[in-house]
């Protein structure tokens, strides 16, 4: 049976972030993820996890100034020192929250920047991060994202991600496969997941169009759940969508899974 984690950056937004842990547990989720825990002391976040019996499934390496529109800094030549300091910060939080994996957002291509130079920086940063995180027993993930939601994003497809992973050459670099993003950019979801399952460490979902909850759009999620389950995927699936009419009102898709998944990571 699939194990679903609640992405608290999108779900239960009517609550303050720390209170979203309580709301997710009440709804039946056993795992949580979000962009990052860095606005709160690690001990406060850890206390909410323990209080609710939740697994910290995933968060991102610090990704720059999100409010200003930044979506990662790992490709930027003038931010290498900041990126690498962020890796150390992510390790500190991951250890405190008993989190076994973190995601690295590549970033948006600056106007006029040569992609070859950006890729070289990205590969170097990923080598550094994969090694550093590996020493701490933490997986590093990279995520292709669609260019409709984030115009100019550097990493946009599964094969591009796999090619980068080969250039990095680390056994501690994994693919985060977001069904919503890849439906927009590629389609052929089942075949792609099956072909790349050995390198996929985390899956996320939302329906298309609208990035709302499963069942509101074109993706056949009942088929996808059964297909992924049949492949033997043992990781988590992150519910990373924008609720169409409130989180609780839109959790009908989750009802048969709530509280039934093994919380072991």
């Amino acid at each position: 049976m699939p194990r679903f984690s609640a992405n608290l950056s999108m779900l239960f937004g009517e609550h303050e972030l720390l209170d979203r842990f309580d709301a997710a547990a009440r709804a039946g989720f056993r795992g949580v993820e979000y962009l990052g825990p860095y606005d709160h002391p690690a001990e406060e976040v850890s206390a909410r996890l323990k209080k609710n019996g939740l697994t910290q499934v995933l968060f991102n390496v610090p990704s720059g100034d999100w409010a200003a529109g930044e979506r990662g800094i790992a490709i930027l030549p003038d931010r290498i020192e900041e990126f690498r300091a962020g890796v150390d910060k992510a390790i500190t939080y991951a250890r405190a929250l008993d989190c076994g994996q973190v995601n690295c957002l590549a970033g948006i291509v600056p106007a006029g920047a040569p992609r070859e130079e950006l890729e070289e920086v990205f590969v170097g940063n990923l080598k550094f991060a994969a090694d550093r995180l590996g020493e701490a027993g933490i997986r590093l993930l990279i995520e292709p994202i669609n260019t409709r939601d984030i115009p100019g994003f550097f990493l946009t497809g599964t094969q591009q991600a796999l090619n980068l992973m080969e250039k990095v050459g680390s056994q501690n670099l994994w693919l985060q496969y977001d069904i919503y993003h890849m439906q927009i950019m590629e389609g052929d979801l089942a075949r792609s997941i099956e072909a790349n399952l050995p390198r996929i460490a985390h899956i996320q979902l939302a329906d298309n169009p609208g990035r709302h909850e499963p069942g509101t759009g074109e993706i056949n999620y009942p088929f996808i759940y059964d297909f992924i389950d049949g492949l033997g995927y043992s990781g988590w699936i992150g519910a990373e969508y924008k609720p169409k009419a409130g989180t609780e009102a839109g959790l009908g898709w989750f009802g048969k899974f709530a509280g039934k998944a093994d919380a072991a990571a």
Side-chain angles (χ1 to χ4, degrees), residues 180-214:
Y180 165 75
H181 290 308
M182 292 304 94
Q183 170 70 354
I184 293 171
M185 298 302 293
E186 302 173 350
D188 205 11
L189 298 170
R191 181 177 179 275
S192 184
I193 292 170
E194 182 176 23
N196 299 298
L197 189 68
R199 299 303 297 159
I200 294 174
H202 189 60
I203 294 174
Q204 292 178 322
L205 61 75
D207 219 329
N208 183 59
R211 203 176 188 178
H212 300 309
E213 49 266 72

Side-chain angles (χ1 to χ4, degrees), residues 190-252:
R191 181 177 179 275
S192 184
I193 292 170
E194 182 176 23
N196 299 298
L197 189 68
R199 299 303 297 159
I200 294 174
H202 189 60
I203 294 174
Q204 292 178 322
L205 61 75
D207 219 329
N208 183 59
R211 203 176 188 178
H212 300 309
E213 49 266 72
T216 59
E218 66 186 356
I219 301 174
N220 184 353
Y221 270 109
F223 168 82
I224 292 290
Y225 303 145
D226 289 344
F227 184 80
I228 292 173
D229 212 26
L231 293 175
Y233 174 72
S234 60
W236 293 83
I237 301 176
E240 188 187 51
Y241 61 81
K242 297 181 291 187
K244 197 168 185 177
T247 303
E248 284 85 356
L251 284 177

Side-chain angles (χ1 to χ4, degrees), residues 87-259:
V87 171
D88 289 336
K89 188 173 186 178
I91 290 171
T92 298
Y93 270 84
R95 282 174 166 163
L97 305 181
D98 195 23
C99 181
Q101 54 190 18
V102 298
N103 181 47
C104 172
L105 294 179
I108 297 171
V109 175
R115 289 188 66 91
E116 296 82 1
E117 180 182 353
L118 301 180
E119 181 174 299
E120 183 178 349
V121 171
F122 194 26
V123 168
N125 277 335
L126 291 176
K127 285 181 178 177
F128 171 87
D131 288 348
R132 198 65 164 260
L133 288 159
E135 292 169 359
I138 302 164
R139 284 177 167 179
L140 174 65
L141 285 58
I142 54 173
E143 178 187 11
I145 290 177
N146 82 76
T147 53
R148 182 184 302 161
D149 286 4
I150 307 182
F153 197 76
F154 181 83
L155 180 57
T156 61
T158 302
Q159 191 58 54
Q160 182 192 5
L162 295 171
N163 292 343
L164 282 163
M165 291 162 69
E166 185 175 350
K167 290 180 180 181
V168 173
S170 172
Q171 293 301 306
N172 191 39
L173 183 58
W174 304 80
L175 178 64
Q176 177 168 304
Y177 189 91
D178 188 301
I179 292 171
Y180 165 75
H181 290 308
M182 292 304 94
Q183 170 70 354
I184 293 171
M185 298 302 293
E186 302 173 350
D188 205 11
L189 298 170
R191 181 177 179 275
S192 184
I193 292 170
E194 182 176 23
N196 299 298
L197 189 68
R199 299 303 297 159
I200 294 174
H202 189 60
I203 294 174
Q204 292 178 322
L205 61 75
D207 219 329
N208 183 59
R211 203 176 188 178
H212 300 309
E213 49 266 72
T216 59
E218 66 186 356
I219 301 174
N220 184 353
Y221 270 109
F223 168 82
I224 292 290
Y225 303 145
D226 289 344
F227 184 80
I228 292 173
D229 212 26
L231 293 175
Y233 174 72
S234 60
W236 293 83
I237 301 176
E240 188 187 51
Y241 61 81
K242 297 181 291 187
K244 197 168 185 177
T247 303
E248 284 85 356
L251 284 177
W253 68 272
F254 178 60
K256 68 177 181 178
F257 304 109

